[in-house]
Amino acid sequence: MISVNIYRYNPEKDSFPYMQTFEFEKPKRDIMVLELLNQIKEKDPTISYRRSCREGVCGSDGMNINGKNGLACITPLSTVIKKNKLDLRPLPGLPVIRDLVVDMADFYAQYEKIKPFLQNDTPVDIGERLQSPEDRDKLDGLYECILCACCSTSCPSFWWNPDKFVGPAALLQAYRFIADSRDTKTAERLQNLSDPFSVYRCHGIMNCVSVCPKGLNPNEAIGEIKSMLLSGKNKENIIASDAVS
Amino acid sequence: MSILNSSNIKTLEFDVLVIGGGGSGMRTSLELAKSGLRTAVVSKVFPTRSHTVSAQGGITCAIASADPQDDWRWHMYDTVKGSDYIGDQDAIEYMCSEGPKAVFELEHMGLPFSRTENGRIYQRPFGGQSKDFGKGGQAARTCAAADRTGHALLHTLYQNNVKEGSNFLNEWFAVDLVLNKFKEVTGVVAFAIESGEVAYLKAQATVLATGGAGRIYASTTNALINTGDGLGMSLRAGIPAQDMEMWQFHPTGIYGAGSLVTEGCRGEGGYLINKDGERFMERYAPNAKDLAGRDVVARSMVLEILEGRGCGEDKDHVFLKLDHLGADVLNAKLPGICELSRTFAAVDPVYEPIPVVPTCHYMMGGTPTNIHGQAFKLSSSDDDYIPGLFSVGEAACVSVHGANRLGGNSLLDLVVFGRAAGLHINEALKSGGGVANCDNDDIDLALHNLNKLNESSRGYEVSAVKKELQEVMQNYFGVFRRGDYMDKGVTALTEIREKIENLHLKDKSAAFNTNRVEAIELQNLFEVAEATAISSLQRTESRGAHAREDYPDRDDENWLCHSLYDPTTKVLGKRHVNFEPSQVDAFPPKVRTY
């Protein structure tokens, strides 16, 4: 038997959250944590959690699994269960709406703050903007983010200042546009991040890297942003100074 | 919980409601964002969680990058042939000729396409693609961002909606359409999932962009949220559905898990093998081989399995071989597939083949519309619309896919027709179009089902009935179909109907009640399943994805037409196929071989 302890909280009924234990026959084959949750929900349909693609690309089912953030749908039970015990809690640091569902408004607000869209005012007459394969390669490891919030909600700096520290997920996306050879607003983007909180609250503890279910490295992107901010150099003025020399 | 009625719920008024925040909905809303019309996107999940995110291989379009001579007319020819000649040629012409503009526009918005050496968008070969109207061999026409094109496209669309300040009602669930006494659609009743608050969302135009309903089957590549909510609502309101027998079974779903493995794998040079290691598609499609139409490949795989040449202990799947492509190609072109395969099949494609099986993937049918997204009434006329109702994307049947969709055409469909609907609605509403107000009774009627669920004190369990429904569809309406089996299926569904109308909602609470969402999703699935079953039984021929053992041949004399399902009488009517493109001559029906 395995015991699955699930964080329960229904604002209409509960003054405080509590852990509810479900005893389960150990599955014969290794299953994903989401599948286990679905089986529990068949028995108790009052458990709430988000889920959609069930294959690790939509980012709905980020949760805290035995103490570590991850996506339930691509986390095999065998890799997380300890002594036949599994604790499932909502992502830390965000307000809980109900059970495993958190309010992600702060997280999305930070994403919007970095202007997560390509900016380039030069019109294109026909066809696409050209980009060399080498320049396109610079976006690998950046654009794949699924906004699951596993990283930002594992970051103590984000827990403290979710309104002022942009957090690893949105910073990774900030760098995704800075790194894009087609984007012409690097200086503005950096300016937008130059206050003491937006980037500099990152102290490089790398929780974001260790939990990212897509294997991305926000810490490295943050490092790039910091060094561009400190050196004053970015791809636009480097190109400009190259042109002068 | 007290009984909901028009006087105790609030009204939120908009010009346009877009129901669904996937690719087609967000392309529609993006077009409307610049119009000044008050638009709301009603999405049951945060938009980037929509199923468009799972699309992998790419968006098919003649942008003439891989082949400078490429021509949208060739793409049109392939699509008409792929549809087994019941795709509407005016719509296919529009999609293929407008396509390049739509793809370049996505690139300008920032979509991180993979690139060729000269900096252009990378294109890969996909199934059913040819040069020179089938005479010039395999084409490479699918524009790709590695094997994560859907993710890149959906995020790009969301990002640009943020840029343009679109208004999202995220995690709101639309329950039922509201129709006034003139049978015009005046909006929906919906609830905020987070708070449980119910509202009448009033609008002059309501766009169903609710995607597919692959979850009617037990085995599907579709996300758990693909429950056909728009079609469920419209069928309950007596609005017809077209070509519902046409369901695409994707050849390569991961055995057991159902996750999609892109056709791009075969486009990049992968191929299918049976237990003897034989590349069996060479027998079934000597020219196109593994890149024949999806319906052809899926059937060939099932035949291999039925004839005892399947792989594994139970000989119930085949293998997709990729290792000969080498680690470099796999990591550069198919990184997501490697990831999925390791996670869900415990197989590393660099060294071993992936176990795959045909898996329900795409709904070619849907709400019949013209190229502007206007929903047709139940009539054979081409200008008989339901005022106020529009549909785009997989939820709609415009019909560019006919009886079988070509790979990469769904993403193109989303952006081309999402944009077209947005353009049309903007113009129509600004020139005074719109609908009359509804009465309070009309709102009360739309609340009836939700009230009934909320009041249920006993009845059938949602999860058990869902399983039963999915098993019936899987067993009786799969890749191969037979009249006597389907008869049994239809009878089984009649019994399930009684359960669907008497579901027990165990959880009555307000905040983030997913039990309530799942109950209504199940009711929507049922409507789609019933339409599918009856349409499948009554189309007495084999065409595209609809393959009948008892009627193995295509019957152009009787069935070169759309089927039109009337949910009120449950009778299948017919609708003519458009053979009148404006810029080219129509492509007449031919024997379809690959």
Side-chain angles (χ1 to χ4, degrees), chain A residues 10-13 32 34 38 41-43 45-60 73-76 97-98 101-104 107-108 111-112 115-120 124-134 136 139-140 143-149 173 176-177 180 182 213-214, chain B residues 45-46 48-51 53-54 56 63 65 104 106-121 145-148 151-152 155-156 158-160 162-163 171 194 215 220-225 257-260 339-340 343-344 461 463 466-467 506-515 518 521:
Chain A
N10 181 341
E12 287 162 77
K13 292 194 305 205
M32 298 297 168
L34 178 65
N38 290 343
K41 190 171 167 66
E42 283 178 17
K43 292 193 169 62
T46 68
I47 299 172
S48 285
Y49 50 94
R50 294 184 175 107
R51 81 286 178 279
S52 172
C53 76
R54 59 82 175 94
E55 57 187 17
V57 291
C58 81
S60 295
C73 62
I74 54 169
T75 303
I97 295 172
R98 173 175 174 171
V101 178
V102 291
D103 179 351
M104 294 176 74
F107 176 80
Y108 295 135
Y111 178 64
E112 291 192 20
K115 299 193 176 166
F117 39 83
L118 192 86
Q119 297 181 72
N120 184 331
V124 194
D125 287 342
I126 12 166
E128 68 270 53
R129 286 199 172 88
L130 299 181
Q131 184 174 48
S132 70
E134 294 72 32
R136 169 58 184 77
L139 307 183
D140 283 341
Y143 82 96
E144 300 95 322
C145 173
I146 58 174
L147 301 177
C148 65
Q173 290 316 293
R176 176 249 174 276
F177 289 100
D180 196 320
R182 301 169 296 172
K214 304 308 285 181
Chain B
V45 294
F46 182 75
T48 63
R49 325 285 182 215
S50 306
H51 187 55
V53 83
S54 290
Q56 298 172 349
I63 60 160
S65 166
F104 293 140
L106 288 169
E107 194 282 329
H108 300 165
M109 286 183 211
L111 199 154
F113 281 111
S114 302
R115 299 288 172 156
T116 62
E117 279 309 314
N118 57 15
R120 294 207 59 194
I121 293 170
D147 57 357
R148 303 187 179 100
H151 168 277
H155 280 252
T156 301
Y158 180 66
Q159 291 161 354
N160 281 270
V162 168
K163 183 182 176 186
E171 295 186 328
E194 179 177 336
R215 287 280 154 187
T220 174
T221 65
N222 283 196
L224 293 157
I225 61 170
S259 293
L260 172 68
E339 206 179 302
L340 275 175
T343 308
F344 288 104
E461 261 185 50
S463 59
K466 191 192 291 175
K467 271 192 184 157
K506 279 193 180 162
D507 184 354
K508 304 286 201 302
S509 60
F512 225 100
N513 182 340
T514 50
N515 189 208
E518 288 183 14
E521 285 178 335

Side-chain angles (χ1 to χ4, degrees), chain B residues 366-389:
Chain B
T367 304
T369 70
N370 67 1
I371 61 171
H372 308 298
Q374 294 173 279
F376 285 119
K377 278 185 188 160
L378 192 72
S379 85
S380 56
S381 160
D382 268 356
D383 23 53
D384 221 358
Y385 305 113
I386 301 164
L389 188 65

Side-chain angles (χ1 to χ4, degrees), chain B residues 27 41 56 65 103 122 127 164 181 227 260 385 427 477 488 526 536 551 590:
Chain B
R27 186 61 192 83
V41 181
Q56 298 172 349
S65 166
V103 169
Y122 169 74
E164 300 297 339
K181 58 176 177 268
T227 51
L260 172 68
Y385 305 113
E427 220 165 90
F477 303 95
K488 281 186 199 162
F526 180 82
S536 303
Y551 295 93
K590 285 197 295 195

Side-chain angles (χ1 to χ4, degrees), chain A residues 182-210:
Chain A
R182 301 169 296 172
D183 190 276
T184 58
K185 300 286 184 204
T186 303
E188 283 92 330
R189 290 184 186 281
L190 289 171
Q191 179 60 35
N192 195 20
L193 297 170
S194 60
D195 63 282
F197 280 91
S198 295
V199 181
Y200 291 114
R201 285 282 137 169
C202 167
H203 301 303
I205 66 163
M206 310 248 274
N207 275 7
C208 55
V209 183
S210 81

Side-chain angles (χ1 to χ4, degrees), chain A residues 37-45 49 51, chain B residues 459-471 499-500 503-506 514-515 518-520 522 525:
Chain A
L37 253 179
N38 290 343
Q39 287 176 20
I40 294 173
K41 190 171 167 66
E42 283 178 17
K43 292 193 169 62
D44 181 352
Y49 50 94
R51 81 286 178 279
Chain B
Y460 297 94
E461 261 185 50
V462 174
S463 59
V465 179
K466 191 192 291 175
K467 271 192 184 157
E468 201 181 330
L469 173 69
Q470 291 169 333
E471 288 305 322
K499 298 178 183 177
I500 290 290
L503 290 175
H504 180 205
L505 182 68
K506 279 193 180 162
T514 50
N515 189 208
E518 288 183 14
I520 304 169
L522 171 60
L525 282 174

